[in-house]
């Protein structure tokens, strides 16, 4: 009910896994995208800096998309009602 006190509980391993998923996937996407963009730019004789930057941006957004998609519904917090003393 509105105004009631509640204590939220979250398992430590769930918190760690969600943090890794939320921060790790975008970082992995950034690195993998930059590497792929660099390699593709080298193969096509294009500007390496532009290819790396575009690959990094695409990889980061891909990692963010995956982290948000996978996180929906995986993290569940329990509310435990407390009584006022």
């Amino acid at each position: 009910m509105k105004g009631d006190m509640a204590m939220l509980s979250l398992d430590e391993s769930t918190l760690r896994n969600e943090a890794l998923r939320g921060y790790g996937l975008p970082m992995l996407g950034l690195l993998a995208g930059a590497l792929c963009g660099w390699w593709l730019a080298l193969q096509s004789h294009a500007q390496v800096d532009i290819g790396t930057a575009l690959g990094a941006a695409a990889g980061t957004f891909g990692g963010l998309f995956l982290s948000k998609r996978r996180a929906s519904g995986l993290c569940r917090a329990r509310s435990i009602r407390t009584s006022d003393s």
Side-chain angles (χ1 to χ4, degrees):
M1 194 169 280
K2 187 175 181 179
D4 286 346
M5 295 286 289
M7 183 170 51
L8 297 177
S9 172
L10 185 63
D11 185 31
E12 185 178 331
S13 65
T14 302
L15 178 62
R16 181 177 48 250
N17 290 340
E18 292 298 317
L20 284 173
R21 187 173 291 122
Y23 292 107
L25 281 177
M27 179 61 76
L28 186 62
L30 171 90
L31 295 173
L35 184 62
C36 288
W38 172 78
W39 184 79
L40 286 172
L42 279 179
Q43 297 302 315
S44 64
H45 304 292
Q47 288 283 334
V48 175
D49 293 341
I50 294 173
T52 304
L54 290 174
T60 301
F61 287 120
L64 282 171
F65 174 75
L66 287 176
S67 71
K68 299 303 178 196
R69 183 175 171 190
R70 292 190 59 179
S72 62
L74 292 178
C75 183
R76 302 225 190 275
R78 299 178 287 156
S79 68
I80 304 166
R81 291 201 125 160
T82 60
S83 60
D84 291 78
S85 301

